């Protein structure tokens, strides 16, 4: 058996906690549903794109790319979950056969998916070329800084609270900067939208805040204690955030551009 | 060897029962046929959608999404089955190498597939926009409550009958509520259908009751005893329900909208 | 080591027989070629369907579905083959690490593929709606009874000859019934075919008899003895039957409807 | 450890030879590049077919089928390579954990791919229906006899030189017969080609001889000795032959029919 | 345990170095993000090609082929990473269960992807037929020589500095030759581009130098020492190079031909 100190080095509370059968099953259930949903909706978004005016087709296509990338990442988390817990005397023990669990793959995957999600927004709102590049870049820069500082900080979740909180705050500063940039794009979106659809960007704004806001909660959660419930609740939170900010967000944007396509006579 | 009490904690009778070679083979056969059928029909539904008037294309596309998601879930059940039984002295023993079987993945997967199946129905019956959202939401709410209360209850199947039955009843209340909502959509479907097709929604109504009704039977079945036959019959019941309520249901709806497409001159 | 009696319980002679290196390699070669061919032709049939008049497109699409389903089943047989034989002292021993081989997955898979193959035939021959349903149903009923009685009987192949033969005869009765129904569809096919193509249904009739007739031979073969050669020859027979009755049959039907499409001016 | 005699029974020199780290890595590199290239070009050929006049679309579609089938076969060879060599004292030993390597899967796969490659040729050269069937059949018959006699003979490569050489010669006789038939098709191809493209069939003829001619060299090579270099060079030879005779050949034929499409005004 | 000398034979510093938990996780994160991104963008490029004038469609299709091939190669590197490191006493030890890591698969994969990337460039810049072949060939020859000499040299990275540097210099000579050839194609690209897009080839030129230039740095890096940081930084460098020179490069070329399509009135 590995000591607590060693286990803490992995920077994921999953490696410090024993799970009951119910907790273990719920955790794998959450991850399984998540990767299944993401993979399955690849098909939805690809077919959706064939229904749209050419200039909007890229919006659901990018959702399909996000589904594929996130699905692969979540399948990997599921495999780690299965491999790193082991049933001993009716309890699931972490670090089975020296395999460790990590949430870092999530952050890595965001490096790919977050820039795509933000680009999608600007394209859906019909921002045109020279402006589009500038706006997208102005969103991607704080987004990547937010993710990478958060990635560095999350290794502190196994007890190094000052690392967790300091980098969490820095990451949040970038998040606020990002929010300001997204707000700007939303405002352009309202201006660009046909009269019937001017309500959409505003709603998407609130939806964006509510769903992206779940991630920092998941980040901070381990401070509530190293227990099986915290582990499972955090995976649940991340999964709800994933399905909302990627899958349902993609459906919303796709329906918005479908309506725009129709209004533009396609 | 793990004690019966410990095994019961996993909340799946599969972990309590030894299987003969015939039972083990039949069980894996059932799961294998199920995932194979679901995966293979992805192709059918995607190609089908290309034959339809644009407004109906989403119906088979959603079936393809359901096929992919359910196929992945059933493949996972198949893998669990293979990993968790072990041949010892001519009999298949559960909890092999401390791997446990669970049906909970099924319930998890329904969280994705059931809302899609219900949305499909409303779209196929040509319910138009503001009403569509309202109707779909009114079906999804009781459906999710039904599934999640059932998921919680099913962990009682290894002997905690009061948990199984109490939550089974609560889940059934939500099922009845769902049935009422579906009935409403069916009625709209009859009104919306062209004269030649008015019989279809009515038949789909009975088909819906007959196939969705199989799931609560599978839920209650473990009370008949912890035997290999109950285990195998339950997997068979679930598989028949899966293929009927997702795959064949998808074919029926696709053919209905194909007829509507044709009648609308496409 | 497991006793012969125990091994017989699995109901597949593969578990009773030791193989030479050559026999083992030939067996895996046969299964590998089979699943590879089925998977690869998915692409052929999907692209083929895009060349056809809309009403015939379903014919190659159904072949693609059959390819996917049978491919998955044969890949599973291949994995079983690899896992269940083990090299000991220069000979391949069955039931390695207590893994058993089974042909039952084939029969399970036929439950999906055979109804599709028969539906394909009726659609290709241009039988129109109310009649189509009736004819398809009249073929599917004896086909499923044939498969399921055969599945039950094949567990007798490890020595319970009365089980094998009794259920083999019952299954054959259903096969004869099926042949009569198929003959009826062929006759309609001749009537429906344009003059230039009237020879096709007749040839398909003989082709059907010759290829489907291989399966009962594979069923009866174990009575020749529990030897490696019987094991390998039977897998070869099944594979030839699979490739003929699904893959090449699909090519023939696709070319028939391609010709019809052309004659109907598409 | 297994004796040389036993190892020879597997009929592949790979099971008789120890590899240095460099040889082992080079071998897996070759197989990995091969399966990667074949799988990746599936996409190329499918998209290519959408650019062509309908009558030529089948040509790249068949290349896609060949890519899929060969890719699966080569992925299997790669897995065998990894599983059957084992690092002991800085050297890779064959027959690790009693897993054996075999090249027989290649020959099995040719049974699928070679008939397709020959059919492709006749279709690309615009040979029309009754003649097409006859010509294709006249090429497939010697091709299959060549492959199967070669498959039987290659089991002699571990030291049974008379088996290797006798069946090699028989196989070569069928190869010569095949070459004569291909020459006939090439001649028809020259006649059928538009003036601007009459040079293509002639070049394809030399290309065919040069690339298909590599396979018998790989067949005979083990007679140079049971060494790691012979093993690696042979895999390299087979891989160059695979990529030339399937992948690049497919690109050449696709470009030829693309030119024909354009000249026919598509 | 394997001696340093033996480990050095594998020609990859990854086999010589122990990693902390953080380094191990970062390494697998980098590889996971890389393969996920490459696979996911297959969808993007395939859908992109449907938006273009037929003559430019091949450009994103070739990017899709590159994504698939590189994705498979990177998935394989990820698997090697996982299999070849093993957690012992809180540190990740290389050569776990005698599995070795290698970067050679990268070089092997370039043999496929680099010729495609160069062909893409010439096609995107609208170079027409006889010239196209000549130019492509003149780029591919030095490119392959650069890769293969580099592949041979990189086996020296475990301490044989003269091998590493000598072959590195030879490879660089071929790289310079390649750069000259690419420069020629860029010049043609400027001449061929419509006035509005004449800036693009020039920018692509600088982008090409910056991104391809990362690979030799990764090649030389092991001379900085056999440490975990060098291992991780090198994987990061390779991954940045991969995503820039294949994925983002593909997006740039696709957008360029999209603009050309539009200007040519498609
Ligand atoms: C503010 C903040 C964070 C924000 C993360 C966010 C907002 C992530 C969004 C991810 C998405 C949308 C992924 C989609 O694939 C971190 C990094 C957790 C660190 C703690 C502070
Ligand atoms: C009434 C009832 C149930 C109903 C389940 C149903 C109706 C499930 C339908 C699932 C479908 C259609 C899945 C498709 O993917 C439970 C939850 C078993 C719990 C016991 C009571
Ligand atoms: C008569 C008979 C049989 C017939 C089987 C047949 C005719 C199977 C056809 C299968 C096909 C066409 C599968 C395609 O996927 C059995 C069941 C072996 C049992 C013995 C008697
Ligand atoms: C003459 C000869 C042979 C020829 C083999 C050939 C010509 C194989 C071609 C394979 C192709 C083109 C495969 C594509 O997938 C054998 C059988 C090695 C045996 C020795 C004599
Ligand atoms: C100059 C030089 C090299 C250059 C490598 C390059 C330029 C690789 C490009 C690879 C690409 C673009 C791959 C895309 O899939 C080597 C071989 C490392 C060896 C050392 C000297
Ligand atoms: Na585990
Ligand atoms: Na993620
Ligand atoms: Na097992
Ligand atoms: Na399910
Ligand atoms: Na085995
Ligand atoms: Na089958
Ligand atoms: Na090995
Ligand atoms: Na091959
Ligand atoms: Na490991
Ligand atoms: Na690469």
């Amino acid at each position: 058996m590995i000591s607590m100190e060693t286990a803490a080095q992995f920077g994921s509370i999953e490696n410090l906690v024993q799970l009951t059968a119910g907790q273990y099953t719920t955790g794998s259930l959450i991850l399984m549903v998540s990767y299944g949903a993401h993979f399955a909706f690849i098909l939805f978004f690809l077919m959706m794109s064939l229904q749209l005016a050419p200039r909007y087709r890229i919006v659901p296509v990018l959702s399909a790319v996000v589904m594929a990338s996130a699905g692969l990442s979540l399948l990997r988390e599921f495999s780690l979950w299965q491999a790193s817990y082991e049933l001993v005397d009716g309890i699931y023990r972490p670090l089975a056969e020296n395999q460790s669990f990590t949430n870092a793959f999530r952050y890595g995957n965001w490096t790919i998916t977050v820039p795509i999600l933000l680009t999608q927004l600007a394209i859906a709102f019909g921002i045109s070329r020279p402006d589009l590049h500038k706006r997208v870049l102005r969103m991607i820069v704080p987004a990547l800084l937010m993710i990478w500082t958060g990635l560095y900080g999350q290794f502190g979740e196994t007890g190094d609270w000052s690392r967790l909180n300091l980098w969490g705050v820095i990451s949040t500063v970038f998040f606020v900067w990002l929010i300001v940039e997204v707000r700007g794009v939303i405002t352009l979106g309202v201006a660009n939208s046909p009269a019937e659809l001017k309500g959409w960007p505003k709603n998407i704004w609130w939806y964006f805040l509510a769903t992206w806001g779940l991630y920092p909660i998941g980040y901070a959660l381990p401070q509530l204690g190293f227990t099986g419930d915290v582990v499972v609740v955090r995976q649940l939170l991340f999964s709800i955030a994933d399905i909302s900010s990627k899958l349902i967000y993609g459906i919303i944007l796709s329906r918005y551009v479908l309506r725009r396509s129709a209004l533009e006579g396609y």
Side-chain angles (χ1 to χ4, degrees), chain A residues 42 126 129 143 189:
Chain A
I42 292 173
R129 207 126 24 160

Side-chain angles (χ1 to χ4, degrees), chain A residues 35-257:
Chain A
Y35 80 72
H38 284 79
F39 281 139
F41 270 83
I42 292 173
L43 304 173
F44 174 85
F45 289 115
L46 289 183
M47 300 306 284
M48 189 66 173
S49 83
L50 301 177
Q51 311 279 95
L52 299 175
R55 61 179 302 211
Y56 295 125
R57 279 192 195 153
I58 192 72
V59 174
V61 166
L62 289 177
S63 279
V65 172
V66 167
M67 291 302 107
S69 167
L72 286 169
S73 156
L74 292 162
L75 176 57
R76 193 56 70 186
E77 295 287 352
F78 177 85
S79 311
L80 286 181
W81 184 271
Q82 284 212 318
S84 72
Y85 285 107
E86 177 174 47
L87 185 64
V88 181
D89 300 331
I91 222 75
Y92 279 93
R93 276 217 316 236
L95 291 172
E97 290 166 41
N98 289 333
Q99 301 263 13
S100 60
F101 187 86
T102 179
N103 286 301
F105 290 178
R106 293 184 174 275
Y107 291 73
N109 192 244
W110 300 343
T111 303
I112 304 292
T113 54
V114 165
I116 300 178
L117 293 173
L118 296 169
T119 306
Q120 244 182 329
L121 194 71
I123 296 175
F125 287 162
I127 300 177
S128 56
R129 207 126 24 160
D131 214 28
L132 179 69
H133 289 175
K134 213 184 56 200
R135 289 289 181 171
V136 165
L137 206 76
R138 276 169 49 185
M139 291 189 290
I140 288 180
V141 168
L144 289 180
L145 292 172
M146 171 189 82
I147 292 166
W148 293 337
T149 50
L151 168 59
Y152 185 79
Q154 64 93 36
F155 283 101
E157 75 175 39
T158 49
D160 188 347
W161 305 132
S162 55
R163 177 175 181 171
L164 189 73
N165 287 316
L166 177 64
W167 289 96
V169 168
I170 296 174
S171 175
T172 304
V173 172
F174 292 123
F175 189 30
V176 172
W177 170 9
L178 169 62
I179 289 174
V180 173
E181 294 298 337
V182 170
R183 178 72 246 194
V185 169
I186 296 279
T187 307
L188 288 176
V190 176
N192 281 341
S193 292
E196 297 89 328
L197 300 179
K198 286 209 187 293
W200 283 68
K202 291 178 203 154
N203 292 335
I204 289 171
W205 165 245
W206 295 113
Y207 186 78
F208 169 82
L209 289 182
T211 55
W212 289 49
L214 296 175
Y215 289 101
I217 302 178
Y219 177 91
L221 219 65
Q223 296 178 87
L224 293 189
F226 299 161
T227 69
D229 282 344
V230 169
V231 160
V232 173
V233 166
R234 205 227 325 222
Q235 292 299 333
L236 183 63
L237 210 69
F238 273 144
S239 277
I240 293 174
D242 281 343
I243 292 181
S244 316
S245 73
K246 284 180 277 227
L247 200 157
I248 302 182
Y249 171 83
I251 298 178
I252 293 172
L253 286 191
S254 294
R255 300 193 62 247
Y256 170 75
V257 293

